[in-house]
Each structure stands twice: as C-alpha cells, then as structure tokens.
Amino acid sequence: MRALEAYEKVLKIQEETGNTFMLTSALNNIGIIYNQQGNIPKALEFYLKSLKILEQINDKASMGRLLINIGYIYAKQPDEAKAHEFYQRAYKICQEINDKAGTASALVGLGFINHNKGINGESIKYYEAALKIQEEIGVKQGIIETMNNIGTLYRDTINMDKAIHYFTKCIEMSREIGDKRNACNALCNLGTSYLLIRNYKKAEEFGLQALPLSQEIGFPQNISFSAELLFKVYERTHELTKAYPMYKLFVRMRDSIN
C-alpha cells in the first residue's frame, strides 16, 4: 500500500506540472500495482489513461510495453479478441522500433492466446520464437516465463516428461535470480503435473513449497493456485481435514481475483 500511496502522490504532482513522461510512468506503475493485487478494473483504468497520453505524444517505446501489459490483462480475463488486438499492436510497434524484449513479450502473449484456443502448433512456434530472442539478449526473467508457458503447453497435451523438464528449469532459474513469483508459479505447475500422473507425494511436496512462498509475496492469484493444488491432493488422498482449509483458502482467493 505504501508504494501505491507514493505513486498516487507522484501522479498528483505530475498532473499539476504537466510532465507527461512522469505522468504516464506513474499511471503505468499504479496499474501494475492494482494488477498484482488482483484489482483488474482499476489496473485497466490506469493503463488505458496512460496509453491515451502515450498515443498523443507518439512515445512508441513506452506504448509497445504498455500494450503488452493491457494484452496480458485481457488474456487472463479471458477476452481473447481484445488480448489478440493489443498483442498484435504491441508486436508491430516493437518490431518497428527494434525493441527485442518487447517483441518477445508480444510473441509470448500471442502464443498464450493460441494455447487457450487449443491451436498448439501455432502456440509453440510463438513461444520458441520468443525464447530464441530472450536467450539472445539474456533476459532471464523472460526466459523463465516463456519456459513456464512451454511447460504448461506440454502438460496440457500430456507430454509430462517435457513439462516436468521445463518447470524444473524454471524453478532453478527463478531461485538463482530471486524471482519468487515465477518460482511459485513453476512450483505449482510442477505439482499439478505430478498430480495428473497420480504422484500425490511429489504433488504435495511442491504444493507445500509454493503455498508459503505465495503467501509471502501476497498475490491472490498465486495463493489461489497453491491452495487449489493442495486441496486436490488432499481430496484425492482422502485427507479431508487437510483438504477443507485449502478449499476455503482457494475459494476466498478466487473470489478476490474475480
């Protein structure tokens, strides 16, 4: 909350001074905080305010990155048509200004949309193109997120060996750079992979690593994911006294996100 209050003070000052660069930066950062808190309407409100100003001043570098953020929110809703629109706009702008990191992020977004539609052949092409760029420029966080998406695609197509391989690499790299959120995502994904092949001991092991980490970083989506995994493990191993509190936590976090 302190960060949000600080950015709101900055926003007020920049609105008074008319400093467009600082104004759009403050709007974008407030949008990011609301997104992390799971307050999607507020996140979109501030992102779109920032985008309107960036379009007026034709700041293509900032516009490309912001379009990716907006595409991500719509993809998670899910509003695939809107997400595709924003990711495509971002991809064109980032290509035009040779923003390789932005281009890779837009490709990941397009891969995610195709994955959700079940167009897995197209999805893996986008992911692999993004991963190639990210490895070329050495963006470790981007590499982790893209590998996590590739692992999810393989898990969803029941190619568990490849899924487990990618999720394990994600965990290792996330821990190396201290990226707790992506470590938590990968731990949950790895646990879910083991759940699908009925290795409940492994699924519980990774769920129990993910839950305290998700509570530490405080993002509702991560807490919900961790609690849902453990609920399913305990439900299937008939440990109902453990399953019930996990179910309650999962529902509370899910409702918070909605």
Side-chain angles (χ1 to χ4, degrees), residues 19-39:
N19 185 329
T20 52
F21 175 77
M22 292 298 293
L23 177 58
T24 56
S25 179
L27 287 165
N28 195 39
N29 285 324
I30 292 170
I32 288 168
I33 292 170
Y34 278 124
N35 185 29
Q36 289 172 344
Q37 291 176 346
N39 191 335

Side-chain angles (χ1 to χ4, degrees), residues 59 71 119 158 167-168 171 174 202 215:
D59 181 349
I119 312 172
I158 322 298
F167 292 141
T168 302
I171 294 165
S174 296
K202 279 283 189 185
Q215 290 170 324

